[in-house]
Amino acid sequence: MQNENIIKGQGAQRNVINRFDRFTFEPEDEDFETIKTSFTEVFPKTIVNQVKSQDLPMEYSMNPYQGCEHGCSYCFARPTHEYWGFSAGIDFERKIMVKKNAPELLEKFFKKRGYKPEPILMSGNTDCYQPAERQFEITRQLLQICLDYRHPVNILTKNALVLRDLDILKPMAEQNLVSVSLSIPTMNEDLRRKMEPRTSSTNNKLKAIELLSENNIPVNVMVAPIIPGLNSDEPLSILKSISDAGAQSFGYTLVRLNDTVEPVFVKWIETQFPDRAQKVLNLIRSMRGGNLGDKSYFERQKGSGNIAEMIHNTFKIGRKKFFDGKEFPKLSTEGFTGTKEQQLRLF
């Protein structure tokens, strides 16, 4: 039976202790349901981050927001909020840092002497189309600059709000400058509301895949994360649905609960699924060498044990059955010259 003491529309059910704070204080009776989302403008010196992880394929990432309103309890970005002095729990979803100077910083980055263009990932950390984007439109401004400079960008999001910017994405796609990856971890709408409470519905994501594909914008789908005992029986049905909708490729990840993601997720699953919480946690441990998390390069992507192997084999079958012959295009850097003007490269 589901626990009735749930903060609705919320992944984290409480704040967790910040690893970097010596002292913490949180009133026992604090009513988190009455706390509204707040937005704080921050002033970073750069917006493009070089990705140094050995097992990640992208060279650069860009995040117009820190924190995310989508409310996924398993989000690997939660611990980054602690560097701002906040909690990886409810603070991560309710206290959003907004980088209004991001467009200016991106244009400055493109003009750097000697810069060699590589596709930039939006969002490598927190979702660039989270609900805050409706108000601030920073992602839209960044895409317009990428179009103006003919610079390639890969978009990763859980939100069908990406369709708002079709007027920019279509001319980018004509120059092979953009791709969109949508995250779809489940086809079960009841489960989706619990896993990612403030994202777009699965049906709206599928419609987004169809519309993007109709406009020749290449679409990848991240089936992520796979949580054994929750959505691990769904990969084949998801792959068939996204392939039918027009997706050209897919990726997937196994859930891993590093640092302060762990207490957030444990509290979430105990609240949402008290009848099977321990079973799910034990299944995760079986994929992570007895732990809930794993930071080892390459191994963190694969997991280990019978459960992990079963999931990998299921995706192999799905790839052969539903994506055989499909190929995801590589974005072009040929048009980028470091200026808005069209001109030939000398070298």
Side-chain angles (χ1 to χ4, degrees):
M1 183 175 179
Q2 184 171 297
N3 194 326
E4 294 182 358
N5 299 317
I6 296 175
I7 305 177
K8 295 181 180 180
Q10 195 82 41
Q13 295 297 303
R14 61 183 175 87
N15 270 327
V16 294
I17 294 174
N18 187 319
R19 294 169 295 161
F20 306 111
D21 284 350
R22 289 184 60 195
F23 306 103
T24 60
F25 171 75
E26 184 176 311
E28 287 285 336
D29 59 348
E30 186 164 359
D31 185 2
F32 286 110
E33 289 191 274
T34 64
I35 300 175
K36 295 182 179 180
T37 302
S38 65
F39 303 101
T40 302
E41 184 177 1
V42 293
F43 302 91
K45 295 181 179 179
T46 60
I47 189 61
V48 178
N49 309 300
Q50 187 169 16
V51 178
K52 297 182 180 179
S53 295
Q54 303 169 22
D55 55 354
L56 296 178
M58 73 289 294
E59 181 76 18
Y60 297 105
S61 70
M62 179 164 54
N63 301 281
Y65 306 100
Q66 292 294 135
C68 184
E69 299 172 84
H70 279 156
C72 309
S73 64
Y74 43 76
C75 180
F76 65 84
R78 284 184 177 273
T80 63
H81 225 48
E82 295 175 301
Y83 293 102
W84 296 89
F86 297 123
S87 169
I90 288 177
D91 283 353
F92 179 78
E93 303 172 41
R94 299 285 182 91
K95 297 182 178 181
I96 310 300
M97 309 291 107
V98 181
K99 304 174 185 178
K100 292 183 180 180
N101 66 338
E104 173 189 340
L105 293 173
L106 180 60
E107 192 161 9
K108 182 179 179 181
F109 179 79
F110 285 164
K111 292 179 177 180
K112 286 176 63 175
R113 186 182 181 91
Y115 169 62
K116 296 181 179 180
E118 290 287 342
I120 296 174
L121 174 65
M122 296 172 61
S123 324
N125 198 37
T126 52
D127 203 311
C128 61
Y129 278 109
Q130 62 177 282
E133 172 62 16
R134 293 186 183 276
Q135 175 179 345
F136 296 104
E137 297 192 353
I138 300 173
T139 298
R140 180 176 175 83
Q141 296 174 58
L142 293 171
L143 289 174
Q144 182 62 58
I145 291 172
C146 288
L147 174 58
D148 291 343
Y149 280 83
R150 303 168 301 282
H151 193 286
V153 61
N154 296 301
I155 298 168
L156 173 60
T157 183
K158 295 172 177 280
N159 203 318
L161 178 60
V162 63
L163 295 178
R164 179 202 63 187
D165 296 332
L166 272 176
D167 60 320
I168 300 175
L169 299 177
K170 287 168 66 175
M172 290 187 75
E174 290 170 1
Q175 301 177 62
N176 195 21
L177 295 175
V178 69
S179 71
V180 176
S181 290
L182 280 162
S183 175
I184 301 181
T186 180
M187 301 298 294
N188 181 326
E189 189 57 18
D190 288 337
L191 179 58
R192 198 277 311 166
R193 290 192 189 100
K194 295 173 182 176
M195 285 183 67
E196 39 178 42
R198 299 193 68 194
T199 65
S200 298
S201 69
T202 302
N203 281 339
N204 283 342
K205 291 179 187 177
L206 290 174
K207 290 177 183 176
I209 294 173
E210 292 176 356
L211 191 52
L212 290 166
S213 299
E214 288 172 5
N215 284 280
N216 298 314
I217 298 165
V219 181
N220 173 74
V221 170
M222 286 300 298
V223 187
I226 297 298
I227 304 174
L230 283 187
N231 65 342
S232 53
D233 61 337
E234 293 193 64
L236 292 180
S237 62
I238 295 174
L239 296 185
K240 182 181 187 306
S241 296
I242 63 176
S243 179
D244 290 347
Q248 293 173 264
S249 66
F250 71 88
Y252 68 98
T253 61
L254 307 181
V255 67
R256 60 186 181 95
L257 309 172
N258 292 337
D259 300 320
T260 35
V261 180
E262 179 178 326
V264 172
F265 181 88
V266 170
K267 179 66 176 179
W268 171 80
I269 199 161
E270 289 176 345
T271 303
Q272 294 285 2
F273 301 97
D275 58 330
R276 57 177 134 162
Q278 290 308 311
K279 177 183 177 181
V280 171
L281 292 172
N282 286 333
L283 288 171
I284 296 173
R285 290 188 182 98
S286 77
M287 302 191 304
R288 299 295 180 190
N291 302 310
L292 291 175
D294 185 356
K295 295 183 179 181
S296 305
Y297 287 129
F298 301 102
E299 291 300 320
R300 62 182 181 173
Q301 308 288 7
K302 298 185 298 182
S304 61
N306 294 334
I307 300 298
E309 191 64 26
M310 178 190 70
I311 293 170
H312 295 320
N313 288 336
T314 302
F315 277 103
K316 287 178 183 177
I317 293 170
R319 189 179 302 278
K320 185 174 182 180
K321 187 174 179 66
F322 303 117
F323 284 83
D324 189 38
K326 291 194 174 189
E327 188 175 350
F328 200 70
K330 183 178 180 180
L331 300 185
S332 173
T333 61
E334 292 303 311
F336 180 83
T337 61
T339 69
K340 293 182 179 180
E341 291 75 30
Q342 293 278 4
Q343 63 187 41
L344 295 176
R345 282 185 178 174
L346 295 178
F347 304 99

